[in-house]
C-alpha cells in the first residue's frame, strides 16, 4: 500500500467508532475528571492518554516496539510537563476518537500532528508484533 493510503487507513482506524467492551475504559473515557489521565513517554514525546490501566499498558507496550528507546506510561503528571503547547491545551472530550486496543480503547489527548504520529507508531508496533509472532510460530 502506498504511504498516502497507509496514512489514510491509520486516520480512518483512529476515527472509527468500534464498540468498547471494557467497562473500565468506557468509564475512564467518559469521565471528565483529571484523575483518569495517564501519560505516554515515548522518545521526545509526553502525551496525555485516557483508558484503563490494562489497555494503557498494552498500548504503551505496542508503541514501544516502534522505538529503540523505552516507552513508558505513568499515572501521574510528569515532572517536565507536556512539551508541545498544542498538546498541553488539548481538551478531554468524551466523544473524541479513540484507538482500539484489544477489547478496550485509548484516547490520545494531543494535537492532531502528535495524535497521528502516535497512531502511526502504534500501527508500526502492531505490525512488528505480528511479524515477531509469525517468526516464533515458524520456529515451533
Amino acid at each position: 500500500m502506498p504511504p498516502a493510503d497507509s496514512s489514510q487507513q491509520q486516520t480512518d482506524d483512529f476515527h472509527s467508532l468500534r464498540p468498547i467492551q471494557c467497562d473500565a475504559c468506557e468509564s475512564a473515557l467518559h469521565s471528565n475528571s483529571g484523575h483518569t489521565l495517564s501519560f505516554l513517554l515515548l522518545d521526545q514525546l509526553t502525551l496525555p492518554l485516557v483508558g484503563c490501566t490494562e489497555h494503557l499498558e498494552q498500548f504503551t507496550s505496542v508503541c514501544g516496539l516502534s522505538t529503540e528507546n523505552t516507552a513508558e506510561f505513568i499515572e501521574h503528571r510528569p515532572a517536565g510537563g507536556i512539551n508541545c503547547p498544542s498538546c498541553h491545551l488539548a481538551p478531554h472530550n468524551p466523544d473524541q476518537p479513540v484507538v482500539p486496543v484489544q477489547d478496550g480503547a485509548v484516547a490520545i489527548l494531543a494535537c492532531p500532528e502528535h495524535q497521528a504520529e502516535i497512531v502511526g507508531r502504534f500501527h508500526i508496533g502492531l505490525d512488528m508484533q505480528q511479524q515477531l509472532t509469525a517468526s516464533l510460530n515458524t520456529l515451533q
Side-chain angles (χ1 to χ4, degrees):
M1 190 180 330
D5 291 343
S6 176
S7 174
Q8 182 61 43
Q9 178 64 39
Q10 290 170 2
T11 301
D12 290 346
D13 287 349
F14 182 61
H15 292 288
S16 67
L17 297 174
R18 296 181 188 169
I20 300 170
Q21 298 173 355
C22 173
D23 292 337
C25 282
E26 189 75 43
S27 176
L29 291 166
H30 286 87
S31 171
N32 285 328
S33 68
H35 78 275
T36 59
L37 275 183
S38 298
F39 294 85
L40 172 66
L41 309 176
L42 179 67
D43 295 335
Q44 306 303 331
L45 297 173
T46 302
L47 301 174
L49 303 176
V50 177
C52 77
T53 301
E54 178 184 347
H55 291 109
L56 288 169
E57 287 174 349
Q58 290 174 1
F59 181 81
T60 301
S61 175
V62 170
C63 286
L65 294 173
S66 70
T67 183
E68 291 181 12
N69 298 316
T70 303
E72 186 177 356
F73 117 84
I74 56 175
E75 294 180 316
H76 57 83
R77 190 166 287 282
I82 300 169
N83 301 338
C84 172
S86 295
C87 289
H88 184 73
L89 297 173
H92 177 196
N93 174 359
D95 296 321
Q96 70 194 74
V98 295
V99 178
V101 180
Q102 303 269 341
D103 64 340
V106 171
I108 305 166
L109 307 184
C111 68
E113 177 184 342
H114 288 130
Q115 280 183 346
E117 181 178 345
I118 292 303
V119 169
R121 299 284 289 269
F122 180 71
H123 283 277
I124 289 169
L126 285 175
D127 290 344
M128 296 213 36
Q129 188 177 49
Q130 186 178 17
Q131 290 173 8
L132 290 170
T133 303
S135 295
L136 288 174
N137 289 339
T138 59
L139 293 175
Q140 294 177 349

